[in-house]
Amino acid sequence: MSSSSLKNRYESWLSSNGFTLSPFHIKWHTGIFNRLFARCAHLNPRFLYIWFSAGMVFGVLAMFGSVVLLSKTLLQTLSQMMAETPEGSHEQILQVVVPGVNLPVSQLAYFFIAILVSGVIHEFGHGVAALREQVRLNGFGVFMFVVYPGAFVDLFTTHLNLISPVQQLRIFCAGVWHNFMLCVVALSFLLLLPIILFPFYYTGAGALVTEVVEGSPSSGPRGLFLGDLVTQLEDCPVWGVQDWHNCVQHLSHNPQMGYCVHTAKLQLSWSAGRAFKRLDGTMECCGNNSLTDFCFSYSNNVESKLFACLPVRKTIEASRTCRTNTDCQTDFIPSLCLIPSLENQTRLIRVKHPPQTDMLFVGYPSHLQYSVSLTSFVPRLAFLHPDLPVMLETFCKYLVSLSGALAVVNAVPCFALDGQWMLTAFLEATLSSVILERNNRELIGFFFLLGGSALLAANVALGLWMVTAR
C-alpha cells in the first residue's frame, strides 16, 4: 500500500469521525448530542424564556462591568509595575495564570478539567438558547489548542441572522450567563460541603495534617506527621485550615511572644548576663550552638535587660504566654516574662497537636505555613481518605475562579469573543430607531470593539510580564 493511499485513508477516517488537525490545534465536531440539546430546549418553554431573558440582562450588565473591571485591573497592574515591590498582587480580581509559574504543577489536572467543564457549560448555554429561538444547531465539539482545552457549538448562520436583535442577545449572552450560574452552583457546593460530608467527615475539631514537606522545619522526630490534628498555635486556637492561616499571620505580624518562667529556673542558666550581638543586631547568649538551649531576654526590678541560656523545651513546655512581667503575676510563685532572643522576622512557635508533645518551630512563620498541607475535614471512619474533601474543595475553587474568569473575558466587547456579538446585537436593539444608518451603527460598534480589544490585550500583556518578569 502506497504512502499516498495511507494518507488518504487517514484523512478520510479523520473527516468521517469529525476530527480536524492543524499545528497546535486538535478539534472534534459531532452531531450526536443534538437530540440532547433539543430535549433541553423544549423542557419548559415558559421557564426557559424567563431563564434566558434573565441571562440577557446579566450579559449586558456583564459587558459593561467587564470593561470597568479590566480598567481597574490595568490600573492596579501599572501601579505595581512602578512600585519597587510587587505587593498587593493577590488583591487583584483578575490575574494571568501561567502553568508552572503561578500555578502549581501538582494542580494542573484541576485547572484543565475546570477549564473544560466551564467551556462545555458555556457552549451548552449557547446551544440550548439557539434551539429555543428556532436557530438550527449543526453540532457540538471540543478542541485542544496547545495544551488548553475548550468547547464550541456550530450554529446555522442564516437562521441566526434572520431573528431579531433581542433574540440574538439571548443566544449570545447565554454563555456568560451559564458560566455565572456555574460559579453560583460551585460556590454553594463549596459552602455546603461540611453539611454534605457530615455523615463521613466532621469539622471544627482542628486542622488535620495531610502532608509534611520532607526536610522542612515541620518534619523530624518531634515534628508533625500525617494524621496529626493541630489545635493551637501558641494561644491562638485552630478550629480549621482558615484559623491555621490566620494564626500564622497573626504571629508573623506581631512581636515574639514571651513565656512566664519561675525565677528559680533562671538560676540554672550557665550564661546569664553573657550576651553578644549577632550580625543583624539581635542578641545571643548561648555560645555552644546547642539545639536544645535557647537565649531568652528578661528584666527584673534591678536591671532592665538580662539574658539567660535555658533548655527551651523544659522552660516553656507548660508556661503561659506573656508580653510583660505583669502578665505573670497571677501565681504565688514569683515568675518573670522571658522572651526568646531571635533573629529578625523569625519566631519561636509552639504547635499543639495532642496527644503528641508540642512541636517547637523556630524560623520564618511562612515556612511553617507552606511546609504543611492541612484540611478542616476529619474522617469519621478509618478507611475514608482525608484527601477527598481537599480534592472537592480545590476543584470547586478552580471552577469558581475559571468559570467566573471565562464569563468576564467573554463579556468584554472584543473582536472574536462573545462580547463582539453581544455588543452588535445590543446596538441594533437600542440604536436602530435613533441612528437609522446601519453603517453608522457598525462604525460605533467598531470603535467600542477596538477599545475593548486594546484593553484586554493590555491586561494580558502586562499580566504576563508581571507573572514572568517579577
Side-chain angles (χ1 to χ4, degrees), residues 193 197 201 375 377-378 385-394:
L193 197 58
L197 295 180
Y201 297 84
T375 177
F377 294 86
V378 183
H385 203 286
D387 284 339
L388 177 60
V390 178
M391 293 169 65
L392 292 173
E393 276 187 312
T394 306

Side-chain angles (χ1 to χ4, degrees), residues 5-303:
S5 61
L6 278 174
K7 179 184 176 183
N8 290 335
R9 288 185 63 182
Y10 174 65
E11 290 177 347
S12 176
W13 181 86
L14 288 176
S15 178
S16 61
N17 287 278
F19 286 99
T20 304
L21 300 181
S22 59
F24 310 110
H25 188 257
I26 303 173
K27 184 172 73 172
W28 176 61
H29 179 276
T30 182
I32 60 175
F33 298 109
N34 287 9
R35 283 190 177 182
L36 175 63
F37 278 93
R39 284 181 183 178
C40 293
H42 295 92
L43 282 177
N44 189 325
R46 180 62 182 170
F47 170 77
L48 290 179
Y49 173 78
I50 297 172
W51 175 262
F52 288 113
S53 295
M56 178 183 66
V57 175
F58 172 82
V60 172
L61 294 175
M63 181 173 59
F64 294 105
S66 65
V67 173
V68 175
L69 186 58
L70 285 180
S71 300
K72 182 180 178 182
T73 304
L74 183 61
L75 291 175
Q76 286 179 333
T77 306
L78 289 172
S79 65
Q80 290 169 33
M81 289 174 63
M82 295 182 210
E84 293 182 2
T85 57
E87 294 180 359
S89 60
H90 61 281
E91 297 175 358
Q92 284 189 341
I93 298 176
L94 291 176
Q95 283 186 323
V96 175
V97 175
V98 180
V101 179
N102 61 346
L103 175 69
V105 176
S106 60
Q107 297 190 359
L108 286 179
Y110 296 110
F111 178 76
F112 289 123
I113 293 173
I115 285 182
L116 182 60
V117 171
S118 300
V120 168
I121 296 299
H122 179 99
E123 297 302 329
F124 176 80
H126 284 312
V128 174
L131 286 170
R132 192 203 160 275
E133 301 296 344
Q134 307 304 314
V135 175
R136 192 176 78 192
L137 176 68
N138 294 327
F140 167 82
V142 293
F143 64 87
M144 178 77 73
F145 179 70
V146 188
V147 295
Y148 293 95
F152 64 93
V153 287
D154 180 16
L155 303 179
F156 192 54
T157 309
T158 304
H159 288 178
L160 194 60
N161 291 331
L162 290 174
I163 60 178
S164 70
V166 174
Q167 290 176 297
Q168 291 177 354
L169 260 180
R170 289 197 191 99
I171 297 172
F172 298 142
C173 294
V176 297
W177 171 240
H178 278 73
N179 278 133
F180 171 73
M181 293 312 298
L182 179 61
C183 282
V184 172
V185 171
L187 187 59
S188 300
F189 183 83
L190 188 61
L191 296 174
L192 294 173
L193 197 58
I195 298 174
I196 295 170
L197 295 180
F198 180 76
F200 312 104
Y201 297 84
Y202 63 91
T203 58
L208 184 70
V209 177
T210 58
E211 184 184 1
V212 180
V213 177
E214 189 176 351
S216 69
S218 302
S219 62
R222 291 194 174 181
L224 295 174
F225 293 90
L226 180 69
D228 284 354
L229 193 64
V230 178
T231 58
Q232 210 167 320
L233 297 181
E234 292 297 354
D235 286 342
C236 185
V238 176
W239 307 109
V241 175
Q242 190 57 50
D243 295 318
W244 160 274
H245 293 302
N246 292 340
C247 289
V248 171
Q249 291 299 315
H250 173 75
L251 294 170
S252 174
H253 294 148
N254 287 280
Q256 170 66 50
M257 296 292 293
Y259 304 91
C260 292
V261 179
H262 296 162
T263 52
K265 288 187 178 181
L266 296 177
Q267 298 174 2
L268 302 174
S269 170
W270 62 267
S271 62
R274 294 185 294 172
F276 56 90
K277 279 190 176 183
R278 299 187 184 97
L279 293 176
D280 64 352
T282 57
M283 303 302 291
E284 176 60 88
C285 62
C286 295
N288 61 349
N289 295 321
S290 171
L291 297 177
T292 58
D293 296 335
F294 222 89
C295 183
F296 292 86
S297 67
Y298 66 99
S299 61
N300 56 25
N301 296 330
V302 180
E303 298 181 67

Side-chain angles (χ1 to χ4, degrees), residues 193-446:
L193 197 58
I195 298 174
I196 295 170
L197 295 180
F198 180 76
F200 312 104
Y201 297 84
Y202 63 91
T203 58
L208 184 70
V209 177
T210 58
E211 184 184 1
V212 180
V213 177
E214 189 176 351
S216 69
S218 302
S219 62
R222 291 194 174 181
L224 295 174
F225 293 90
L226 180 69
D228 284 354
L229 193 64
V230 178
T231 58
Q232 210 167 320
L233 297 181
E234 292 297 354
D235 286 342
C236 185
V238 176
W239 307 109
V241 175
Q242 190 57 50
D243 295 318
W244 160 274
H245 293 302
N246 292 340
C247 289
V248 171
Q249 291 299 315
H250 173 75
L251 294 170
S252 174
H253 294 148
N254 287 280
Q256 170 66 50
M257 296 292 293
Y259 304 91
C260 292
V261 179
H262 296 162
T263 52
K265 288 187 178 181
L266 296 177
Q267 298 174 2
L268 302 174
S269 170
W270 62 267
S271 62
R274 294 185 294 172
F276 56 90
K277 279 190 176 183
R278 299 187 184 97
L279 293 176
D280 64 352
T282 57
M283 303 302 291
E284 176 60 88
C285 62
C286 295
N288 61 349
N289 295 321
S290 171
L291 297 177
T292 58
D293 296 335
F294 222 89
C295 183
F296 292 86
S297 67
Y298 66 99
S299 61
N300 56 25
N301 296 330
V302 180
E303 298 181 67
S304 60
K305 202 74 168 179
L306 293 172
F307 296 91
C309 183
L310 299 169
V312 60
R313 186 170 288 277
K314 290 182 180 179
T315 302
I316 72 171
E317 197 165 30
S319 301
R320 297 195 317 274
T321 56
C322 58
R323 293 291 182 188
T324 63
N325 288 338
T326 308
D327 299 332
C328 302
Q329 305 307 315
T330 57
D331 297 332
F332 292 105
I333 303 174
S335 301
L336 295 173
C337 185
L338 272 65
I339 300 175
S341 181
L342 297 166
E343 296 179 11
N344 290 332
Q345 306 303 319
T346 58
R347 297 286 186 273
L348 169 61
I349 301 173
R350 283 186 302 190
V351 181
K352 294 186 180 294
H353 54 121
Q356 284 78 20
T357 307
D358 295 352
M359 181 187 82
L360 300 183
F361 172 86
V362 180
Y364 296 102
S366 59
H367 292 178
L368 171 63
Q369 188 171 11
Y370 295 112
S371 63
V372 182
S373 297
L374 304 132
T375 177
S376 300
F377 294 86
V378 183
R380 294 184 183 274
L381 302 171
F383 67 87
L384 294 172
H385 203 286
D387 284 339
L388 177 60
V390 178
M391 293 169 65
L392 292 173
E393 276 187 312
T394 306
F395 180 68
C396 285
K397 289 175 181 177
Y398 271 100
L399 208 54
V400 170
S401 299
L402 295 174
S403 188
L406 194 62
V408 171
V409 171
N410 265 287
V412 177
C414 171
F415 293 108
L417 295 179
D418 285 351
Q420 175 182 358
W421 314 113
M422 288 162 59
L423 177 67
T424 302
F426 177 74
L427 293 179
E428 287 296 318
T430 55
L431 298 182
S432 58
S433 60
V434 179
I435 303 175
L436 301 180
E437 288 292 331
R438 184 182 181 87
N439 291 338
N440 292 338
R441 296 196 298 269
E442 290 178 350
L443 186 62
I444 293 173
F446 173 78

